[in-house]
Amino acid sequence: MKISAIETYLVSSPLDVIWKTGIGTGTRRDELLVVVRTDEGLYGLGSSYHSHAPLAVKAIIDEKLAPMALGESALDIQGVWEKLYYGSVYLGASAVSAMSGIDIALWDILGKVSGQPVARLLGGGGVEKVVAYVGCMVLGHKPLEELLQEAKSYADQGYRAIKVRGGAGVERDIEVVRAARELLGPKVDVMIDMNASYSWPEALRVAKGLGEVGAFWMEDPFDFTVANHHVEVGRLTRAGLVPIASGGNVYSRYDVLNLFKQGGVDFITPDAVKCGGISEAIKVAHLASAHNILVAPHTLSGLGQVANVHFAAAIPSHVRAHVEWDPSPKNPLRDALLTNPIKFEDGYLHVPQGPGLGTDINWDVLKELPFDTGEEISGHGRPRQRRWNPA
């Protein structure tokens, strides 16, 4: 069974509620879908992270990765991964994101050929559901009372953990977590994602305050300049002020290994659509297992969430943590585009039991979600503003 064609499709869906964070203001969801076709008529589905440059990542697949993969065995997943990775290393993290969708699609093909769900092929055959935490494009910057009402609505739906968006200022971030912990009580974990907003002294101050109010973790306080990010995150983790999470923007097991060597994290948050696909995500989980670091998969909208739930089911149980989930009531990339969306119930995400990823694409719906050019998150990439030097 040979790879005969690779197709890419960009889709967009506007947000019902504008999403404000320390990294910018979100107005829509984008997803880059990958379809790998074979000479036997079978196809697999995947998703590649758009890296906030969707057309560029699409071009990497169309112009660089796809020609390398054509003619290769669709069942030689590891061999294809090696060829794509070492044939595109000079493109850096963008190539790792791009090849993720191809890898996921090959796992989908293997599942269809064998009649097994991907989670079972990965070794997660006994895991039927994984615990979710509220994340993605919700719980952004807004007046405190509105934020608390939103947080309570998720707890009332059965979620056992939520993640608010930080980067609004040291005192404000601490206040938000304190108020949410007081409202929701001890049975609901409260995380906070800083979206790379802070300098070292600011991060130290906010980490101390968050530890005192019982934050479950503090995620990504620093910018992702690789060397500095790894050193600073490791340094903050060793300080032991509050549990530290990172990894959603750390690419491949090699990058993760460097992060661990610099002092590590308490929670690693890989995403199969970013880190090199399901093949690489499971390697990251095993690396974390060897370091006794908990694995809490990051996810994005739609098909990427499906891939990450399969991955989560196969994470070694002693380090498997929460899985990120977007509970927005209106998300066409999740609910309309997929024939079998992930099901949430009483705080858990059910692992699909059909062959492969357990879902297909509604091709007619795909045509109704045209890609919208421009920024998914406006203001993304601007210089960080410090309170003593306001814009």
Side-chain angles (χ1 to χ4, degrees):
M1 181 182 293
K2 304 295 184 181
I3 298 172
S4 60
I6 296 178
E7 303 162 3
T8 53
Y9 301 91
L10 280 167
V11 292
S12 296
S13 174
L15 297 177
D16 276 356
V17 179
I18 299 300
W19 184 60
K20 295 183 178 181
T21 76
I23 204 171
T25 300
T27 58
R28 71 175 198 261
R29 294 181 180 87
D30 293 335
E31 188 164 24
L32 175 53
L33 302 171
V34 180
V35 180
V36 175
R37 298 191 183 274
T38 73
D39 59 0
E40 296 186 14
L42 198 63
Y43 65 85
L45 304 175
S47 176
S48 292
Y49 182 51
H50 52 65
S51 299
H52 298 280
L55 294 172
V57 179
K58 184 180 187 300
I60 290 174
I61 299 174
D62 294 343
E63 298 179 17
K64 177 61 180 176
L65 300 181
M68 284 196 289
L70 293 180
E72 297 294 326
S73 169
L75 302 182
D76 183 15
I77 298 176
Q78 187 61 40
V80 172
W81 195 97
E82 297 273 323
K83 184 176 184 179
L84 297 184
Y85 182 81
Y86 291 106
S88 61
V89 289
Y90 42 81
L91 289 168
S94 58
V96 176
S97 288
M99 62 186 288
S100 298
I102 297 175
D103 180 82
I104 292 167
L106 293 180
W107 278 101
D108 190 31
I109 289 171
L110 179 61
K112 291 173 178 175
V113 168
S114 63
Q116 299 292 331
V118 167
R120 188 172 300 155
L121 295 175
L122 294 171
V127 180
E128 296 182 354
K129 57 185 181 180
V130 292
V131 68
Y133 79 84
V134 173
C136 300
M137 292 181 165
V138 295
L139 292 168
H141 297 177
K142 59 176 64 176
L144 183 58
E145 286 304 315
E146 292 182 24
L147 183 66
L148 293 177
Q149 289 176 10
E150 184 183 356
K152 187 176 185 303
S153 73
Y154 301 134
D156 290 344
Q157 293 174 48
Y159 290 97
R160 296 170 172 81
I162 66 163
K163 184 170 76 179
V164 298
R165 293 290 159 171
V170 171
E171 291 78 14
R172 169 67 175 182
D173 287 350
I174 296 169
E175 176 190 23
V176 164
V177 174
R178 178 192 293 114
R181 294 277 291 118
E182 290 175 353
L183 175 67
L184 302 178
K187 293 185 178 180
V188 178
D189 299 322
V190 179
M191 304 95 150
I192 184 167
D193 187 346
M194 300 309 185
N195 286 123
S197 296
Y198 288 127
S199 64
W200 170 258
E202 291 171 321
L204 199 63
R205 287 175 54 221
V206 74
K208 183 176 184 297
L210 290 173
E212 291 171 351
V213 300
F216 190 77
W217 78 44
M218 181 172 88
E219 183 174 351
D220 290 341
F222 305 114
D223 289 314
F224 288 94
T225 50
V226 173
N228 289 342
H229 170 262
H230 290 9
V231 170
E232 290 173 336
V233 167
R235 183 181 174 196
L236 193 58
T237 300
R238 289 194 299 272
L241 299 172
V242 66
I244 301 298
S246 190
N249 294 293
V250 179
Y251 298 84
S252 84
R253 64 188 181 274
Y254 307 109
D255 202 8
V256 170
L257 178 61
N258 185 57
L259 174 62
F260 289 177
K261 286 180 176 179
Q262 297 295 341
V265 289
D266 299 290
F267 294 88
I268 189 74
T269 59
D271 189 325
V273 310
K274 290 185 172 188
C275 73
I278 287 174
S279 295
E280 196 68 357
I282 202 69
K283 292 181 176 70
V284 168
H286 292 159
L287 184 62
S289 172
H291 288 80
N292 204 28
I293 292 172
L294 294 173
V295 185
H298 176 279
T299 66
L300 296 167
S301 299
L303 191 67
Q305 292 181 321
V306 178
N308 278 295
V309 168
H310 280 279
F311 158 54
I315 293 171
S317 61
H318 69 287
V319 293
R320 186 191 307 121
H322 308 71
V323 180
E324 188 170 23
W325 182 251
D326 189 335
S328 301
K330 184 179 179 182
N331 181 355
L333 303 187
R334 178 194 64 205
D335 299 327
L337 183 59
L338 303 180
T339 60
N340 185 30
I342 296 291
K343 295 177 176 59
F344 168 81
E345 183 180 22
D346 192 29
Y348 291 92
L349 304 172
H350 288 267
V351 181
Q353 297 301 307
L357 294 177
T359 189
D360 203 341
I361 288 175
N362 284 310
W363 298 98
D364 289 339
V365 174
L366 180 70
K367 300 173 185 176
E368 299 171 0
L369 298 168
F371 174 63
D372 188 4
T373 58
E375 292 184 297
E376 181 190 53
I377 299 178
S378 62
H380 178 259
R382 69 183 186 278
R384 302 301 181 226
Q385 298 299 319
R386 308 303 176 198
R387 65 183 178 84
W388 57 83
N389 186 26

